[in-house]
Amino acid sequence: MYSNSIIFDNSRQWSIIHRMRIAPIIGYEGRYSIREDGVVISHLNAPSHGYLGDHPLKVARNKCGYDYVSLLKSKRLKKLKIHRLLAIAFIGNPKNLPCVNHKDGDKSHNEISNLEWCTYKDNTKHAMEFGTWRNAHIKTERQLKNLTKRKSLV
């Protein structure tokens, strides 16, 4: 499905800049969708907030640097990371890999061209190379192998 992306330009006129793919968020079909630029759209009416119909959701950033949105279902809020929502919606995963990696190491750079599916081990190695790995005490390949083996058993 496509949506028109509309912006407010300098001459105070609304204009369509280009067509953009939009996909429903799995498990939230009919309630929320995500555009290929990472904007999450709510299809719920929220008159108390001034919204009657489709509107973009506010994005927050967690303490690890990942952008996320809070989605409501059955009176429960769930925080979902933007990069995972984009990958699930727009990037095929034929090998059923568990992780989504930011190729450039920037956790806030949520463009489809910057995301890829990978294994836990590949994701950890990539984070170590870019210096974004939180477990900096792990220095050797053997320590990494033991960590990823334990994680896959869980």
Side-chain angles (χ1 to χ4, degrees), residues 23-30 32-34 71 73 80 85 87-89:
I25 295 177
I26 296 173
Y28 296 86
E29 293 88 348
Y32 301 98
S33 298
I34 187 164
L71 304 185
K73 182 177 170 185
L80 298 173
L85 293 174
I88 290 166

Side-chain angles (χ1 to χ4, degrees), residues 66 98-102 105 107 116-152:
Y66 291 103
C99 296
V100 180
N101 182 42
H102 289 86
K107 297 175 186 178
E116 65 184 353
W117 288 100
C118 65
T119 63
Y120 287 113
K121 184 175 181 178
D122 291 338
N123 200 30
T124 303
K125 285 174 80 171
H126 188 265
M128 290 172 74
E129 290 169 8
F130 277 90
T132 57
W133 176 239
R134 289 184 301 178
N135 295 345
H137 64 280
I138 296 176
K139 304 274 190 244
T140 67
E141 184 74 25
R142 184 176 178 188
Q143 289 172 318
L144 175 61
K145 191 175 188 179
N146 288 338
L147 177 74
T148 54
K149 186 185 289 183
R150 278 186 280 145
K151 197 166 195 172
S152 65

